[in-house]
Amino acid sequence: MLPGGAAWAQGAKPAEIKVGIATYLSGPASVFGVPGRQTAEMLFDEINAAGGVAGVKVRPIFVDEGPGVDHVVGEYRRLVQSEGVHLIFAAISSADCIACAPLADELKRPTLLWDCGTQRIFEDNRYNYAFRTQANATPEILAALLYLLKVKPDFKSIAVINQDYAWGRDSWDIFRTAMNTLKPGVKVSAELFPRFGATDFSTEITRVLALRPDVVLSTSWGGDLDALIRQASDRKLFERSTFVMPLAESSLQRVGKALPAGHIVGARGDHWFLHPSPADPERLKRFNDSYRAKYNAWPIYPCFHMAQAVSAMKVGIEKAVAAKGGGWPTDAELAAAFKGLEFPSPTASVRIREDGQGLENQLIGTTMHSEKYPFPVLTDMIVFPAESVTTPVGQKSADWLKTLTPDMVAKLPQAQAFK
């Protein structure tokens, strides 16, 4: 291992805490990869202005996920072995997280999976140095289905338009499995998987227009989802079917009024700058105001996810230092501090389970237009408690979803209107 690779192995207090951060800085996914970077820069500046973490300043080192998995893996090794980073935040892409989690254990470097969605990471394996600071795909997709069953229980047919890669297909498998359990007999009119990074959805839209399903599901994200929304709006598809888009919160400000009222949108957590019932309203207001003042936009879900990773980093290091009586933790001691860690988010709090998976509430709402904002906002919002929609420790989502019962819908929390 090259110099710098030892990091905190001897428990020596560093001159600075170096954090490697993988996010999309190029390509269509940069529309929320860049806000993630901006949030990290903003929060690191705030931490340093307040004296650092346990008295040590923090410095981010960013890596672009755009070139692909092999590039990210190479950069991960470089960050550890050459840069001597103390922690790594990885990543947006599920494929990148799947590749980086084993590296965390191999190189013994605490790694926070800050945004990726695949449920397979902690269901298929166990790691000592990798932890997720947000939910996985199962609660994100299940919450959207439960919301649909609550507000449109009589739908009889559905089509799916998802990106053709692991996330698009896995998220559809989750939705379909839960739907077949909770509402068997729904007709699947079409399963359409345009390539990742597609810009033209005319073929998919033409087919769905002809089929006229009651519901259209799309778990797409980034520039792909933006293009799909604009093109579907131009061709009046939103007038024919109810769309369910569990990741669309991040697109609302970009697509503006192209997305009509009456469609179901998720926030990949309870991440919404107009959250109806945050745990600490002042904390959310400070986060919103700081981001808007600095970047002239409202924070979107990757901003919240990055804020959670930064919060977990700070609380985890402070916990490990306290456990050592003020001494500096080794890599192993810091990693151990993340197990069972509870830390604040801008809207609530997150707890990392013993298997490394974060428990995060889920917010789903229906789009409406308001004179207060030049883009759709959410109303009739339901905040799903994390544990009610998350696969239990030791079980796999594909099996657990088949045990759900229809009375889940009757037990949903009360919807909250836009104010």
Side-chain angles (χ1 to χ4, degrees):
M1 187 174 292
L2 297 176
W8 295 349
Q10 305 306 315
K13 185 173 184 177
E16 64 177 357
I17 300 168
K18 292 187 283 188
V19 184
I21 301 177
T23 184
Y24 277 96
L25 303 176
S26 62
S30 65
V31 294
F32 59 76
V34 169
R37 172 178 180 157
Q38 291 172 334
T39 303
E41 291 172 333
M42 178 184 81
L43 295 177
F44 276 42
D45 286 347
E46 291 177 3
I47 287 172
N48 288 337
V53 178
V56 182
K57 299 293 181 72
V58 290
R59 177 164 68 92
I61 303 173
F62 294 97
V63 167
D64 184 11
E65 290 186 67
V69 176
D70 290 343
H71 171 78
V72 173
V73 167
E75 286 294 273
Y76 188 108
R77 292 188 178 276
R78 180 186 67 81
L79 287 169
V80 174
Q81 296 173 339
S82 299
E83 297 285 352
V85 298
H86 303 96
L87 295 96
I88 290 182
F89 294 179
I92 288 176
S93 165
S94 289
D96 291 339
C97 282
I98 289 172
C100 288
L103 281 177
D105 274 19
E106 176 190 335
L107 300 178
K108 300 189 184 326
R109 198 51 33 94
T111 297
L112 302 181
L113 310 181
W114 74 271
D115 187 72
C116 56
T118 177
Q119 75 283 1
R120 289 183 287 156
I121 290 176
F122 297 114
E123 292 186 7
D124 293 350
N125 297 285
R126 289 291 181 268
Y127 301 101
N128 292 318
Y129 286 83
F131 308 89
R132 181 151 32 202
T133 52
Q134 88 288 338
N136 62 38
T138 299
E140 294 167 358
I141 302 303
L142 176 57
L145 172 63
L146 292 171
Y147 187 95
L148 172 65
L149 292 170
K150 176 73 171 179
V151 302
K152 194 180 176 71
D154 296 329
F155 75 97
K156 294 180 172 58
S157 58
I158 188 170
V160 58
I161 305 176
N162 275 6
Q163 294 149 315
D164 189 12
Y165 80 116
W167 165 256
R169 292 186 178 272
D170 287 354
S171 58
W172 170 231
D173 284 344
I174 291 168
F175 192 98
R176 180 176 52 195
T177 299
M179 180 180 70
N180 288 341
T181 301
L182 296 172
K183 187 177 172 61
V186 174
K187 177 184 177 182
V188 178
S189 301
E191 297 174 290
L192 306 173
F193 292 93
R195 66 175 178 82
F196 181 79
T199 58
D200 182 2
F201 297 93
S202 56
T203 299
E204 291 79 14
I205 292 171
T206 297
R207 180 148 181 216
V208 174
L209 281 169
L211 293 169
R212 302 179 70 92
D214 297 325
V215 173
V216 176
L217 170 71
S218 181
T219 66
S220 299
W221 50 274
D224 298 35
L225 181 59
D226 295 356
L228 174 61
I229 288 172
R230 292 189 181 102
Q231 292 169 31
S233 178
D234 288 343
R235 297 185 61 185
K236 312 299 183 186
L237 181 54
F238 287 109
E239 298 176 11
R240 305 280 187 90
S241 303
T242 298
F243 270 67
V244 178
M245 297 175 288
L247 282 70
E249 179 272 343
S250 66
S251 292
L252 297 181
Q253 294 178 66
R254 296 191 301 271
V255 301
K257 297 300 176 71
L259 177 57
H263 298 275
I264 297 169
V265 164
R268 287 204 69 205
D270 61 340
H271 311 317
W272 179 228
F273 77 100
L274 296 172
H275 193 294
S277 53
D280 184 341
E282 281 303 312
R283 184 169 64 214
L284 176 59
K285 184 177 186 303
R286 286 194 302 271
F287 180 67
N288 287 338
D289 291 349
S290 295
Y291 189 87
R292 183 158 175 78
K294 196 170 182 66
Y295 302 115
N296 194 33
W298 296 107
I300 55 178
Y301 80 69
C303 303
F304 287 82
H305 276 174
M306 182 60 74
Q308 289 175 187
V310 173
S311 177
M313 172 195 72
K314 183 175 185 296
V315 174
I317 292 173
E318 291 171 345
K319 175 184 174 183
V321 169
K324 207 162 182 178
W328 209 258
T330 64
D331 295 315
E333 290 166 340
L334 176 59
F338 289 114
K339 294 181 180 179
L341 186 72
E342 186 162 347
F343 54 91
S345 79
T347 51
S349 65
V350 177
R351 179 172 64 84
I352 298 176
R353 299 190 311 197
E354 59 268 32
D355 62 349
Q357 175 59 55
L359 288 172
E360 176 186 60
N361 298 339
Q362 300 293 318
L363 183 151
I364 310 289
T366 298
T367 55
M368 65 168 284
H369 292 167
S370 166
E371 294 180 356
K372 296 180 180 179
Y373 300 96
F375 51 85
V377 295
L378 301 180
T379 191
D380 298 333
M381 292 167 277
I382 294 179
V383 179
F384 296 78
E387 298 208 32
S388 71
V389 288
T390 304
T391 305
V393 175
Q395 298 188 39
K396 293 199 173 185
S397 293
D399 299 324
W400 177 69
L401 292 169
K402 295 175 184 176
T403 69
L404 303 181
T405 56
D407 64 347
M408 287 184 73
V409 178
K411 297 176 181 178
L412 294 184
Q414 186 68 31
Q416 302 176 72
F418 168 76
K419 297 180 181 178

